[in-house]
Amino acid sequence: EALSALGFDSCTHYQYAHFADIDQDYQTIMQEVQQEWARVQERVQVPYYPHVSIGWDNNPRFFEFRPGVTKNNTPQQVQKAFEAAKAFSDQYNTVPLITVNSWNEWTETSYLEPDTLYGYGYLEAIRNVFCDTSAQNDD
């Protein structure tokens, strides 16, 4: 296998825009993404760590509109993506690792940082899926 021959001991993706039709509803994109996770898992001989992209719209970089804009990538939909990635990782990986695009990719509209539209919604989605908050509520 080429990845192993090149010395790689794992792989992941960087952004949904590189392999899925991102010019549609986030929930529909996630169906394609999960199919891609399964395809890669089946074909590679090194661990595959699932990836979650927050969205895509690189129009802030241009003066004229460019197609390819993710729709309905709300924190609630992104939380479902994190849940799917966690379930995939729990099933296939001994190391619980999921990659995320991205903390502050504002010119691609793919960021976790708080904003005026959703506030801390994306960060709360991560907390809801990956953090045990029960100990925090026992005051």
Side-chain angles (χ1 to χ4, degrees):
E1 137 117 7
L3 291 175
S4 296
L6 292 170
F8 291 98
D9 59 6
S10 65
C11 65
T12 189
H13 281 95
Y14 173 70
Q15 170 53 260
Y16 295 165
H18 298 157
F19 66 88
D21 175 8
I22 46 79
D23 200 10
Q24 55 187 334
D25 186 85
Y26 193 84
Q27 189 172 9
T28 304
I29 293 168
M30 282 308 301
Q31 293 170 2
E32 291 182 29
V33 167
Q34 289 176 285
Q35 290 172 354
E36 175 70 359
W37 293 346
R39 184 190 73 77
V40 173
Q41 177 67 29
E42 182 179 300
R43 290 188 174 180
V44 300
Q45 301 302 313
V46 296
Y48 172 73
Y49 297 106
H51 167 80
V52 174
S53 292
I54 306 306
W56 181 266
D57 177 359
N58 67 350
N59 279 287
R61 294 179 172 165
F62 304 101
F63 291 109
E64 295 180 11
F65 178 78
R66 303 234 175 165
V69 177
T70 300
K71 295 150 191 73
N72 197 29
N73 54 322
T74 64
Q76 294 79 15
Q77 292 300 322
V78 172
Q79 180 170 326
K80 291 177 185 177
F82 284 127
E83 290 166 351
K86 182 180 184 314
F88 182 95
S89 184
D90 288 349
Q91 180 177 355
Y92 293 109
N93 297 322
T94 57
V95 175
L97 177 68
I98 294 163
T99 61
V100 181
N101 179 282
S102 122
W103 174 251
N104 63 349
E105 191 60 80
W106 293 92
T107 60
E108 293 176 354
T109 317
S110 186
Y111 54 86
L112 289 168
E113 280 185 314
D115 67 5
T116 57
L117 182 60
Y118 297 120
Y120 287 83
Y122 294 125
L123 294 173
E124 290 167 351
I126 289 176
R127 181 189 62 205
N128 293 344
V129 175
F130 299 105
C131 297
D132 179 7
T133 58
S134 61
Q136 297 171 5
N137 296 328
D138 292 340
D139 295 334

